[in-house]
Amino acid sequence: MDNDLTRRTFLGVAGITAATAALPAGSTAAAQDNAPPAKPMKIVGIACSPRQGQSTAAALQVCLEAARQVDPANIEIELIELAGKKINGAVAAGVPLAEGEVDDFPALVPKMADPRVAGIVIATPVYFANMSSLCKAFLERWMAFRKDDFSLANKVAGVLAVGGSRNGGAELTIQSVQAALFSQELIVVGESRPTAHFGPVVWNQSDRKVTDDEIGMTATKALGRRVAEVAQRLHSC
């Protein structure tokens, strides 16, 4: 595999710019040119629902568990919920935080740009056929990674959406999130066979658990496997 591709796949987070706001000392990793990725590799899931521990997080956990099962000895997973976190999307446009304003985005930067992280899965609820406002603000702040020499480049990424209707705009939501991921030079994948489409659409029915959606869970597990399998192929290069 091309050395430049290998280098950028697992680049560290040194030099995260002021767009992220100041990070605590020692919170960034040094870039490692042409170094093999550390093992075990890691897949991180970000639940972008304002409702902590609910349907979006539950579906994402299923996805991550399926990813881990591809190779339990060599794949670690982590689920991060944005619920309760303060993320100001305007910072990406150069608008400074107000005096005393709390912002939780900088603490998430090293978790995603860690050289061990080979895959990222974004899960969002569907609101009016699009991602949550929390997800949008979170992705806007990813401008920091572009300024840091595209430090997420060549990691594998997937998207799942959770909505109250099977045809209520979930696929539009997935494609909207994917468009932001493409802008980071991430390797964006959909779920694997047998479904093999854009990404899982999970139906959140009020009278049932989200994990009872058999169709949605089949696609959710397929996405986890696909992210892990593609990440492993890159890992072995």
Side-chain angles (χ1 to χ4, degrees), residues 29-77:
Q32 300 182 17
D33 289 349
N34 298 316
K39 290 190 175 183
M41 73 178 191
K42 192 172 185 180
I43 295 175
V44 173
I46 313 290
C48 300
S49 172
R51 301 170 63 240
Q52 187 166 13
Q54 299 300 311
S55 300
T56 301
L60 182 55
Q61 187 64 49
V62 170
C63 182
L64 292 174
E65 290 294 345
R68 177 161 53 187
Q69 289 307 309
V70 169
D71 189 354
N74 293 304
I75 296 177
E76 292 181 1
I77 58 174

Side-chain angles (χ1 to χ4, degrees), residues 14 35 206:
S206 60

Side-chain angles (χ1 to χ4, degrees), residues 150-207:
F150 285 81
S151 54
L152 297 184
N154 301 313
K155 295 179 188 290
V156 182
V159 184
L160 71 87
V162 180
S165 173
R166 186 78 75 190
N167 61 340
E171 283 194 341
L172 290 173
T173 298
I174 289 170
Q175 289 176 304
S176 184
V177 176
Q178 286 174 336
L181 302 185
F182 281 128
S183 300
Q184 297 290 338
E185 290 191 359
L186 285 153
I187 298 171
V188 181
V189 300
E191 79 268 24
S192 62
R193 290 171 280 184
T195 46
H197 292 121
F198 300 106
V201 172
V202 181
W203 189 5
N204 181 20
Q205 303 169 75
S206 60
D207 59 339

Side-chain angles (χ1 to χ4, degrees), residues 128-148:
F128 294 101
N130 217 319
M131 69 185 85
S132 68
S133 59
L134 187 56
C135 185
K136 186 66 167 64
F138 175 63
L139 292 175
E140 286 175 355
R141 293 292 293 277
W142 282 28
M143 180 63 71
F145 298 119
R146 288 174 60 94
K147 292 181 178 179
D148 187 43

Side-chain angles (χ1 to χ4, degrees), residues 47-53 80-87 104 134:
C48 300
S49 172
R51 301 170 63 240
Q52 187 166 13
I80 299 170
E81 293 198 61
L82 299 187
K85 297 187 184 301
K86 304 296 183 182
I87 299 176
D104 294 312
L134 187 56

